[in-house]
Amino acid sequence: LKKEPTVAEVKALLDAAPWDYVGEVVFCGFGEPTERFDVLIKVAEYVKKTYGKKTRINTNGVGNLVNGRDIVPEMEGLIDTISISLNNPHKDEYNALVRSKFGEKSFDEMISFAKECTKYIPNVVLTTVDTTISHEEEAECQKLCDEIGAAYRIRPWED
C-alpha cells in the first residue's frame, strides 16, 4: 500500500464487496492489525452493524503493549474470534523467535492478553505451525491453552 487507508476508504471498499460470498471478515496480514486498533474497531463495528458478518483478528497478542492500554474490552460484541500466534510454549524460545520490540515481556503479555480475551471474545484460539515445534511442545501448548480457556490450533505449514 502507498498509504494506510482511512476508515471511510475501508468502508467504501467493503460496500463494494460481494457480500453474498463473504462468511467472515478477517483483520490480518501486512503486520500487526492492532497497530491501527482505532481503525480496526471502527471497521469491525461497521461490518457488524451494516452486514452482520462474523469478524476475526489474527494477532501476535501484544496489542495492549502496542496501544498502551487494555484494548480487549473494546472488542466485546465486535470481534467473534481472535487467533493469537503462540508459536512456542517456552518463553525464551518464543522471545528468540518473535524478537518483539517489547522484548522479554512479550511472551507474558501475549499469555495475559489471551486470558483477558476469554472474558470478552467468544472464540479465543492460540496457534502454532505444524512441523515447527515438537509433538511434546505441541502437548505443552495444548495444556497452556486448556489453562487459559482457549482453543489450540496447529496451522499447516505452507511454502
Side-chain angles (χ1 to χ4, degrees), residues 59-79:
T59 179
N60 62 18
V62 296
N64 289 344
L65 291 175
V66 167
N67 290 279
R69 69 180 195 282
D70 182 4
I71 63 172
V72 177
E74 297 173 54
M75 293 187 259
E76 185 173 26
L78 299 176
I79 303 301

Side-chain angles (χ1 to χ4, degrees), residues 18 52 63 75 113 158:
M75 293 187 259
F113 183 83
E158 297 178 16

Side-chain angles (χ1 to χ4, degrees), residues 51-62:
Y51 299 103
K53 296 294 181 174
K54 291 191 178 290
T55 57
R56 180 179 73 209
I57 299 174
N58 292 349
T59 179
N60 62 18
V62 296

Side-chain angles (χ1 to χ4, degrees), residues 131-151:
T131 73
T132 62
I133 60 176
S134 69
H135 292 301
E136 291 80 13
E137 289 170 318
E138 289 173 349
E140 290 177 64
C141 288
Q142 181 65 64
K143 183 177 185 237
L144 183 58
C145 288
D146 291 344
E147 291 169 2
I148 291 171

Side-chain angles (χ1 to χ4, degrees), residues 1-2 24 34 41 49-50 56 63-64 66 68 71 82 100 105 112 117 120 122 133 135 138 143:
L1 299 175
K2 292 187 192 310
E24 179 182 44
T34 62
I41 211 68
K49 286 182 177 177
T50 307
R56 180 179 73 209
N64 289 344
V66 167
I71 63 172
I82 192 154
S100 170
K105 62 184 169 182
S112 176
C117 284
Y120 297 96
I133 60 176
H135 292 301
E138 289 173 349
K143 183 177 185 237

